[in-house]
Amino acid sequence: MAQEILRKEETLAMRKKLIGQSCRLFYSEDPVKIIRARGQYLFDENGKQYLDCISNVQHVGHCHPTITKAAAAQMDLLNTNSRFLHDNIVLYADRLAATLPKKLCVFYFVNSGSEANDLALRLARQYTRHEDVIVLDHAYHGHLMSLIDISPYKFRKLAGQKECAPLPDTYRGIYREDHPNPGQAYADTVKDVIEDVHKKGRKISAFFAESLPSVGGQIILPQGYFSKVAEYVRSAGGVFVADEVQTGFGRVGHHFWAFQLQGDDFCPDIVTMGKPMGNGHPLACVATTAEIAGAFTANKVEYFNTFGGNPVSCAIGLAVLDVIEEEDLRGNAVRVGAHLKDLLTKLKTRHELIGDVRGVGLFVGLELVTDREKTPATEAFPFYIRLKEEDRIVISTDGPWENVLKFKPPMCFSMENAELVVECIDRILSVHFHSLKTSKVCQTCRKHFNCIRQSQVVTFIFRGRDTEICT
């Protein structure tokens, strides 16, 4: 029997009643109700199609037939506790091992990126017998308490501020493009943090970093940074953890893992992976060395994860690897990502609101500013709303000032998709943002995206319906 589809208003009312309000929706003031998807497209209850620039979790595309077929076939055959002996988990681990440096040869399967990062934290602390963790400013590593504790993106909104190293942002950070060696300079800031920790009589267990910081604003790290940081951290008795939850499995194109952008001679001690490996199915993993895994085993505390790496999850994981290879999705990331960056860079020469275009493969950021002094365009939040309302393109924003448009679409994103997105961005910048100045946004009216309350300066001068101003 087909399930009844509720009216959008009914669904929203039930969600507000039944679901915790801290679980926010995309476009919360006017959310899109999605009832089906395919490839890089989402469809609402009225059949309208939306181009998805958000869903990196659906790594090879929404509802890919190869993935759904593999899931259904294994589900029909067997799905059970991971502590029973089964082929899929070892076959999948073997396939993963072939993509990683040889020393990363032991795998722990879990259900989410948060679980993976929590386990990585346990591994690091057990191996080093130290406690302190160094993270990058504005980092996010998951929603468990242990990870909120090491995620400045979250803990800065709570009690108990932590120390962390500066975000290695060569666009607006403390060391920029004109620095002769920003990789070394930013690595030295990590060394300073280590020395501060030692002065307090404490020791470092791990340096935790996304291989390409995403919540921080789609940051591309300077060359040599990871290698030098790893040298400092290991000298202090710690280990290096690369968080590949958002960037792994070929998203960067030329490499399977984003940490490989730092050079063939660099290898983390622990790598974490998340739901893109299962195309959205709850599948995640920690890869580490035999030495670290041995120390974890030596504590005599059994580790098991009832459903991590179950037969269905691993069947899906194997199918995802097949699709990446058979459809040359890494090659697609190289070609489409380069085309998208090139088109956005050309826009930058025509629109002062565009401060920076950065990225690699299908991991791209467009930073919006108010002037060439790089003042963040924090008032530019209606931009992504317009893309949704006028062009049916869904995209997210992030960065410390929420002024970076993030492109992390399914890996089947096409040349035509890239051209459409850039054409629409060009139109919006030309038509709607003909004046932008730095000022304070009315916090009450901000929710409605159509008016600004000020005594002296109007932040946005829009055309058409967005000319209402609070008085």
Side-chain angles (χ1 to χ4, degrees), residues 20 93 131:
E131 287 295 319

Side-chain angles (χ1 to χ4, degrees), residues 256-328:
F256 204 85
W257 306 101
F259 71 77
Q260 293 170 324
L261 293 167
Q262 289 284 307
D264 294 337
D265 60 339
F266 172 72
C267 178
D269 300 296
I270 301 173
V271 173
T272 61
M273 314 162 199
K275 285 184 285 292
M277 67 193 293
N279 214 48
H281 182 84
L283 174 63
C285 186
V286 178
T288 191
T289 66
E291 292 77 15
I292 292 174
F296 193 57
T297 302
N299 70 2
K300 305 299 183 182
V301 177
E302 179 188 7
Y303 175 81
F304 66 90
N305 190 305
T306 303
F307 231 54
N310 66 76
V312 170
S313 294
C314 289
I316 291 171
L318 286 163
V320 168
L321 294 179
D322 289 341
V323 173
I324 291 171
E325 294 175 8
E326 292 167 6
E327 298 185 7
D328 188 27

Side-chain angles (χ1 to χ4, degrees), residues 212-287:
L212 294 175
S214 179
V215 167
Q218 305 295 85
I219 303 300
I220 306 302
L221 301 176
Q223 278 299 310
Y225 174 70
F226 272 2
S227 295
K228 205 64 187 177
V229 167
E231 178 186 325
Y232 294 149
V233 170
R234 288 165 181 159
S235 294
V239 298
F240 191 109
V241 182
D243 180 337
E244 289 273 350
V245 170
Q246 292 203 43
T247 57
F249 292 84
R251 177 159 293 277
V252 299
H254 287 299
H255 301 282
F256 204 85
W257 306 101
F259 71 77
Q260 293 170 324
L261 293 167
Q262 289 284 307
D264 294 337
D265 60 339
F266 172 72
C267 178
D269 300 296
I270 301 173
V271 173
T272 61
M273 314 162 199
K275 285 184 285 292
M277 67 193 293
N279 214 48
H281 182 84
L283 174 63
C285 186
V286 178

